[in-house]
Structure formats: structure tokens, C-alpha cells
Amino acid sequence: MARLRVKELAEALNVDSPEIIAICILLKIPAASPLSSLSIEQSKEIIDYLQKTNPKSNIDKK
């Protein structure tokens, strides 16, 4: 199963790791540090949340 670290997702989306961790807390995704691993499904959930809250951002759906 493919996994992605919080810091890798943050870099890919051009946001800070603490922002990703805060979103994880809101979405009840277990991630406590930039080195926490996320599944592809969890990453998609975070991206969807960011797109809904920041519709003008440069986050492209992949």
C-alpha cells in the first residue's frame, strides 16, 4: 500500500506541515508530526478539504 508522509504532502501542496496536521485533526486522521504516514485515501481527503476551504488556491486535483 502506498503511503505519503505529511511533510511530503505539504511540500506537494505548497502548504506548511502544521496546517496539514491541523486538517488531520479536524478530519480525525491520525497524524501527529510531519513524519506521520498517510494513505492515498487520507491524502485525497485532505486535498478535498483544502480545495473546499481555499477554492482560489493553486491546489490541482490529481
Side-chain angles (χ1 to χ4, degrees):
M1 179 194 288
R3 305 287 290 182
L4 190 65
R5 298 227 183 254
V6 168
K7 69 176 192 161
E8 294 168 337
L9 181 61
E11 288 171 9
L13 299 176
N14 251 356
V15 296
D16 295 329
S17 294
E19 185 176 351
I20 299 292
I21 293 169
I23 292 169
C24 288
I25 291 168
L26 288 172
L27 299 176
K28 298 186 182 351
I29 296 171
S33 79
L35 296 178
S36 297
S37 291
L38 302 167
S39 69
I40 298 302
E41 292 79 24
Q42 290 170 327
S43 298
K44 287 179 183 175
E45 232 182 301
I46 293 165
I47 292 167
D48 288 344
Y49 180 86
L50 276 169
Q51 286 177 330
K52 287 178 189 171
T53 58
N54 298 324
K56 295 180 182 177
S57 67
N58 292 337
I59 301 169
D60 294 328
K61 213 168 199 177
K62 296 182 180 183

